[in-house]
Amino acid sequence: MCRLLAYLGSPVSLHSLLCQPPHSLVVQSYQPQEMTAGLLNADGYGFSWYDRRQQDQPFIYKSLLPIWSDINLSSLSHYIHSDCILAYVRSATPGQALDLSNGQPFSHDNWSFIHNGAIPQFRQRLYRPLRDRLRSPYYELINGSTDSEHLFAYLMQLQDETPQQPLSQTLKTALKDFQELAMAHNSQLSANLVLSDGQHLIACRFAVNTAPPSLYYLQQDGSHLIASEPIFPGNWQAFAPSSILTINPNQGPQWTVLNP
């Protein structure tokens, strides 16, 4: 099960987040501590970052290599500085292709997205019901075969339908829809999601008919971190199950708990 990381705050180097901490994503790729499925995250990795001096859309890098073996990472991670970064290391679901179209982060317009979780037997249970809810152009957003990309496309469809609605409410609606689908088709679903437009972060810890993966939050020196596992010692706060966190630097963190 993948490990993820998100940052919002003063500009920092990618290296200081991705590689330098004692329990960084590099370490979590081969020595995770809280994974509930799988042993390694060796099926590629990716990250998105924002530089709004150049464009509003995120810049994205993906690789099929294990993060520890990509010789490009050292140069890239020291060069890239940003105030908003999303990153993940992948443990592919058995049967899913190892190609870049299935790699995260996914993006649309100025949004970038990462997902940690799984829908067992996705192709047999929720693939068709979820795709049936997608209209153009959101159906065409999907280039790969993962459950993650389908969840993202559906979330983007809801967001574009109600652009004036707070994103936390849109995500809440999406999670309730995912729950209804999972219950109707006797499926499990786990969905730790992080979404950003480069100026805000919104994340959830959520699952249906199974335990949700681990997810933590840390506010430190005016910056905000979300991670599957704490990357360094600190006053990390575990997400409650079925909770949503919205980070708006002008308002501070806001928590929402979904009704059971």
Side-chain angles (χ1 to χ4, degrees), residues 21-22 25 64 66 73 87-88 114 116 124 140 149 167 193 216 223:
L25 279 190
L64 298 179
L73 180 59
Y88 101 124
I114 48 179
N116 169 31
Q124 293 78 19
E140 288 78 17
E149 193 174 17
L167 186 57
L193 312 177
Y216 295 88
S223 297

Side-chain angles (χ1 to χ4, degrees), residues 35-250:
M35 281 178 62
T36 56
L39 299 174
L40 299 172
N41 293 282
D43 300 319
Y45 76 102
F47 53 86
S48 63
W49 73 99
Y50 289 83
D51 184 347
R52 288 181 299 281
R53 297 169 301 178
Q54 301 188 56
Q55 63 180 40
D56 291 334
Q57 294 75 28
F59 295 92
I60 293 180
Y61 177 83
K62 300 180 185 182
S63 175
L64 298 179
L65 295 171
I67 191 172
W68 67 76
S69 66
D70 187 348
I71 63 173
N72 299 303
L73 180 59
S74 178
S75 293
L76 282 173
S77 65
H78 281 91
Y79 173 74
I80 294 171
H81 287 69
S82 177
D83 58 1
C84 184
I85 297 170
L86 275 61
Y88 101 124
V89 289
R90 186 183 184 201
S91 177
T93 301
Q96 290 286 358
L98 296 181
D99 58 41
L100 290 177
S101 65
N102 283 339
Q104 299 182 45
F106 299 114
S107 65
H108 173 59
D109 291 338
N110 60 330
W111 296 103
S112 57
F113 168 92
I114 48 179
H115 167 227
N116 169 31
I119 302 176
Q121 296 182 301
F122 172 63
R123 192 82 176 186
Q124 293 78 19
R125 295 180 183 268
L126 294 188
Y127 179 83
R128 177 61 68 84
L130 189 51
R131 289 173 76 91
D132 285 346
R133 294 195 176 199
L134 293 171
R135 302 184 306 278
S136 295
Y138 309 99
Y139 186 95
E140 288 78 17
L141 284 180
I142 300 171
N143 294 306
S145 58
T146 63
D147 50 7
S148 305
E149 193 174 17
H150 285 75
L151 298 180
F152 176 56
Y154 187 71
L155 185 57
M156 287 294 92
Q157 178 172 285
L158 291 183
Q159 170 63 19
D160 288 351
E161 287 176 348
T162 55
Q164 303 306 318
Q165 181 174 267
L167 186 57
S168 58
Q169 183 58 47
T170 303
L171 179 56
K172 187 175 181 179
T173 299
L175 294 177
K176 287 184 176 180
D177 290 346
F178 298 155
Q179 182 175 31
E180 290 175 3
L181 283 171
M183 298 296 289
H185 296 275
N186 193 30
S187 177
Q188 295 180 347
L189 180 149
S190 55
N192 285 3
L193 312 177
V194 182
L195 186 72
S196 181
D197 61 357
Q199 301 181 69
H200 309 82
L201 290 177
I202 184 164
C204 68
R205 184 183 182 215
F206 183 76
V208 181
N209 294 328
T210 187
S214 60
L215 195 63
Y216 295 88
Y217 168 68
L218 176 69
Q219 184 174 7
Q220 180 174 279
D221 299 328
S223 297
H224 307 267
L225 279 161
I226 296 168
S228 295
E229 301 178 15
I231 60 175
F232 51 70
N235 188 27
W236 294 83
Q237 178 180 354
F239 275 61
S242 298
S243 62
I244 297 173
L245 172 63
T246 304
I247 299 173
N248 180 341
N250 297 324

